[in-house]
Amino acid sequence: TRASSVAALASATRFDYRAALNASSAVSETIVIQDEREDENYDIDGRSIVNDDGEMWCHTKRTYQPSNLVRKRRHGFRARLATVGGRKVLARRRRKGRKRLSA
């Protein structure tokens, strides 16, 4: 009855949301309404991954956005001197004979 209909709605991955909305109000409050669009054509954020021609596209965010200021602050000589680990890095590079000790 009511418990079995709730269990059936909870276990179903796809269901007719119109029929669910016509059910009792206690049941319909627990239902997450899905769009009629196909799930495999949309990513997690709801953005379309299929263009109008039906071709799928995949966009990977470019994570390296170069900035000399940030590079120097993060990997520069003064940043290396500021920590014990950084001083060990400089010592290793001196011992190895590196021409450039840091960025």
Side-chain angles (χ1 to χ4, degrees), residues 22-33:
N22 291 333
S24 67
S25 61
V27 174
S28 64
E29 288 174 1
T30 61
I31 295 170
V32 177
I33 299 174

Side-chain angles (χ1 to χ4, degrees), residues 68-87:
N68 281 327
L69 181 65
V70 174
R71 185 175 65 88
K72 288 288 192 180
R73 282 184 182 162
R74 212 163 276 166
H75 308 291
F77 185 78
R78 300 287 296 177
R80 298 289 190 216
L81 282 181
T83 63
V84 175
R87 290 190 290 274

Side-chain angles (χ1 to χ4, degrees), residues 33-81:
I33 299 174
Q34 294 181 347
D35 275 344
E36 292 179 356
R37 60 190 181 195
E38 293 295 321
D39 292 337
E40 60 270 5
N41 292 340
Y42 292 85
D43 68 358
I44 294 171
D45 297 330
R47 294 177 296 199
S48 175
I49 57 173
V50 177
N51 63 13
D52 295 334
D53 299 330
E55 299 171 346
M56 294 192 73
W57 59 270
C58 183
H59 180 266
T60 304
K61 181 180 179 288
R62 300 293 178 225
T63 56
Y64 181 60
Q65 304 294 323
S67 167
N68 281 327
L69 181 65
V70 174
R71 185 175 65 88
K72 288 288 192 180
R73 282 184 182 162
R74 212 163 276 166
H75 308 291
F77 185 78
R78 300 287 296 177
R80 298 289 190 216
L81 282 181

